Amino acid sequence: MTRTIPGAAQFASTRVAVLGLGVSGRACLDALTQHTQAILSAWDGKAGAREPYSHLDGAAEPDPVALCESLLAWRPDLVIIAPGFRQVGPEWQALAAAGVPVWSEIELAWHLRAANDGVFAPWLCITGTNGKTTTVTMTEAILRASGLRALAVGNVGTPAVTAVSDTSDDAPEAFAFELSSFQLSATYSMEPTAAVCLNIADDHLEWHGNFEEYRKAKARIYTHARVACLYPVGDATVQGMVDDADVMEGARAIGLSMGVPSVGQLGFVDAQAVDRAFIPGRHTHAEALFEVADIAHLAPEGAALPVHIAKDALAAAALARSVGVTPEAVRTGLRGFEGGHHRIETVAHVDGVSYVDDSKATNAHAAEASVRALENAVWIVGGLAKGVRFEQLVGKVKDHLRAVVVIGRDQEPWRSALAGLDSPVHYVAPDSTTPMEDAVAAAAAFAIPGDTVILAPACASQDQFISYAERGQKFAAAVARLDGHDGDA
C-alpha cells in the first residue's frame, strides 16, 4: 500500500505567500514545507503571529495597505489567504488588481491530497447558513458506522490540508467537509463526490459586500461535483445553484424533501426517512434509512425534535449514500450520534425554568429555528450583526417570546427590530464587563416556571467573547450561579 501526494510536484520552485497565520495559515505552511519544494513566505498583521516563521521571508505589518505592498514586492506566484481577510477588504482588492491568484486552505488541500495506490479518499462537502456542523458530524458518524476511517474537517477539527495530506497507513478513507462561504470564495478546483447547500439566508454580508456575492460563494460547493448535488426541495435559491452548476458528467441533482419523496429524492414517509435516489428500483420502490425515533435523543429536553435536525440527518444520510453506505450503517450512525456543545444544549433547570445554550446560532436563520420550537422563551440575543437586520426574524418569533434580553456592543440593529414588540425587552449595557452574567440575571427575572431561557444570539460573538464556545460557557457558568443553585444539567 503506497500513499503519495501526486499534486505536490506542481509547487516546486513556486513562490507561495501565506497571508494570515492563524490555524489554517499555519497548517498550510506546515503542509507545504513537509510535502513540497515551494518557496515560502509568511505574512500577518501581528508580530506575534509572524514570530514562529521568522526564518521565512515575509513581514508583520498592522497597516493593510503597507502589508499588501510588501507582500506584492516579494512577487508571489500565488497567495493562500486566511478567512479572516474580507472579500471586500484591501487585501483581496490589492491581490486582484495585481492579478495574483488567491487560494483558500481548501484549494491547497485539494492539490495536496494523498492517494492510496492512485485512489483518492472521497470528499463529501457541506455548506449552508445553518446546520453545517451538525450535518458534517452526523456524516462522519454514519461513515464510521459503515467501517470507514472517516474524518470531519474544514471548519471543524483537524485543518483540512493537514488531514488530506496524511500519508500514514491509518489515514482517513473518507472526508466530511464543513465549508464556509469564506473558504469557498477562493476554492476553484475541488471535485466533491457529493455536495449540499443546506439553506441560505442573509449572513456575513459585511465580509462579501452583498447577498449575491455570498450566494455565489455558497454555490461553488456544487462546481465539479462527481456523483450528487443535493438540495432542499422547495428552496428555489439553492435549487438554482444546482441548476447553474458546472458539474462532472453523470452527476445528478437529488432533492431532500420533508415530505414523501419523488423519484430521485430522499424524504419522509410518516416517521421514516426513505431513499428513492440511490437504489436501482427507485422508480417503483423506496428503501428505509432511519426512523425519526433514531434521532429523537437530539431534541432539547422536554421539547419536540426541531425540524432542522431531521433535515440535517436526511442530508447526512444522502451524503453517505452517495458513497455506497448501507441503510444499516445510516441507522447505526444516527442512533449513536451525540450533538455537539452549544447547539440547543440544555445546561440546567433552575426554579422550574429550563436554560438552553444555543450559542452556535450565530445567524438569524439558526436562531429562528430554535426559538420557534419553544412555547414561552426568554431570548438572549446580540453581538456582531455582520451587516444583517433582524426585523423579519423578530416578526417570525414574536409569538413565542416571554421577553428579550440584548447583549453586544452595537445594539442599534436590535433596538430597531424590537421597537414596538409587545414582550418586555432589557438591554445590557454595551460596556458591561460581565455581559453574560447581567443577561442571565435579567432573563431569570423575566422567566416563570415552565419557560425556557435560550441563548440564541443570531450574531457572532467576537465583540465581547473570544468565540461562540466561550459565550456558551459563560452562559452555563452564569446559570449555575443563579440564586446559589448549581443547576442540574
Side-chain angles (χ1 to χ4, degrees):
M1 185 181 298
T2 303
R3 292 185 182 274
T4 60
I5 301 178
Q10 69 181 289
F11 295 96
S13 300
T14 300
R15 296 174 68 83
V16 181
V18 176
L19 177 56
L21 303 175
V23 173
S24 66
R26 295 194 300 270
C28 289
L29 282 170
D30 291 346
L32 286 163
T33 299
Q34 181 179 354
H35 301 299
T36 79
Q37 298 299 313
I39 301 168
L40 301 175
S41 63
W43 309 79
D44 199 275
K46 299 178 180 178
R50 159 83 185 148
E51 186 175 354
Y53 302 99
S54 58
H55 60 289
L56 296 177
D57 289 342
E61 173 55 66
D63 178 67
V65 174
L67 179 65
C68 291
E69 290 176 350
S70 181
L71 188 156
L72 288 170
W74 187 74
R75 295 180 293 106
D77 295 312
L78 70 90
V79 173
I80 299 169
I81 195 166
F85 294 98
R86 295 182 301 159
Q87 186 180 3
V88 296
E91 299 84 3
W92 273 75
Q93 303 308 309
L95 294 169
V100 178
V102 176
W103 286 13
S104 67
E105 178 212 347
I106 304 305
E107 178 68 14
L108 178 65
W110 181 258
H111 291 275
L112 291 184
R113 293 167 297 145
N116 180 9
D117 291 335
V119 178
F120 296 101
W123 287 24
L124 305 178
C125 296
I126 299 129
T127 196
T129 302
N130 183 34
K132 295 185 296 295
T133 301
T134 300
T135 305
V136 78
T137 48
M138 280 180 168
T139 304
E140 177 190 58
I142 293 169
L143 293 170
R144 289 183 175 181
S146 76
L148 289 169
R149 292 193 303 274
L151 190 63
V153 294
N155 270 355
V156 295
T158 305
V161 71
T162 303
V164 304
S165 62
D166 184 354
T167 56
S168 67
D169 288 341
D170 59 351
E173 297 169 308
F175 294 100
F177 269 79
E178 177 185 330
L179 298 177
S180 71
S181 57
F182 308 158
Q183 295 163 318
L184 287 165
S185 290
T187 299
Y188 319 102
S189 306
M190 179 182 74
E191 299 176 5
T193 297
V196 63
C197 180
L198 300 168
N199 43 60
I200 189 165
D202 284 356
D203 199 18
H204 299 302
L205 303 188
E206 88 298 348
W207 197 96
H208 293 280
N210 55 60
F211 179 79
E212 177 57 21
E213 288 299 319
Y214 177 56
R215 186 202 66 79
K216 284 166 61 178
K218 291 292 191 188
R220 287 182 181 272
I221 196 86
Y222 294 117
T223 304
H224 310 314
R226 293 176 170 178
V227 173
C229 296
L230 309 171
Y231 66 93
V233 172
D235 189 322
T237 301
V238 177
Q239 186 167 352
M241 296 177 185
V242 174
D243 293 341
D244 295 340
D246 182 11
V247 302
M248 304 295 282
E249 185 175 355
R252 291 191 290 144
I254 292 174
L256 304 175
S257 173
M258 293 308 292
V260 177
S262 301
V263 175
Q265 297 180 351
L266 284 78
F268 286 88
V269 177
D270 296 327
Q272 189 173 66
V274 300
D275 176 2
R276 293 195 68 189
F278 296 105
I279 61 172
R282 57 183 174 271
H283 291 280
T284 56
H285 295 83
E287 185 158 19
L289 298 177
F290 64 90
E291 303 276 352
V292 172
D294 294 326
I295 53 174
H297 62 285
L298 301 174
E301 187 174 336
L305 181 74
V307 172
H308 64 82
I309 292 181
K311 290 181 177 179
D312 295 344
L314 189 66
L319 289 163
R321 292 288 283 164
S322 76
V323 292
V325 168
T326 65
E328 292 75 18
V330 171
R331 283 192 291 273
T332 300
L334 291 175
R335 285 172 181 167
F337 176 76
E338 296 294 338
H341 294 303
H342 314 301
R343 189 71 179 100
I344 52 174
E345 179 182 12
T346 301
V347 299
H349 302 284
V350 180
D351 295 335
V353 176
S354 299
Y355 289 81
V356 175
D357 171 11
D358 197 17
S359 184
K360 202 172 189 305
T362 58
N363 57 65
H365 192 271
E368 177 193 343
S370 295
V371 175
R372 290 182 70 177
L374 303 173
E375 290 293 329
N376 296 298
V378 179
W379 184 26
I380 300 177
V381 301
L384 288 174
K386 301 176 286 184
V388 175
R389 307 300 294 184
F390 301 105
E391 281 78 4
Q392 287 188 351
L393 169 62
V394 171
K396 291 177 179 178
V397 303
K398 63 182 181 180
D399 293 338
H400 300 260
L401 300 177
R402 171 81 64 195
V404 182
V405 177
V406 182
I407 59 174
R409 291 182 178 157
D410 178 13
Q411 298 179 352
E412 184 280 326
W414 288 103
R415 288 185 180 274
S416 174
L418 294 167
L421 184 71
D422 291 337
S423 304
V425 181
H426 175 81
Y427 292 90
V428 174
D431 59 353
S432 171
T433 58
T434 56
M436 191 55 72
E437 289 83 350
D438 297 349
V440 168
F446 285 127
I448 64 175
D451 285 355
T452 298
V453 172
I454 183 167
L455 171 66
C459 293
S461 58
Q462 289 86 350
D463 59 336
Q464 292 180 317
F465 307 94
I466 294 172
S467 64
Y468 76 79
E470 187 200 35
R471 179 171 61 188
Q473 291 161 2
K474 286 188 176 293
F475 171 77
V479 171
R481 290 192 290 270
L482 282 175
D483 297 327
H485 291 269
D486 291 331
D488 53 320

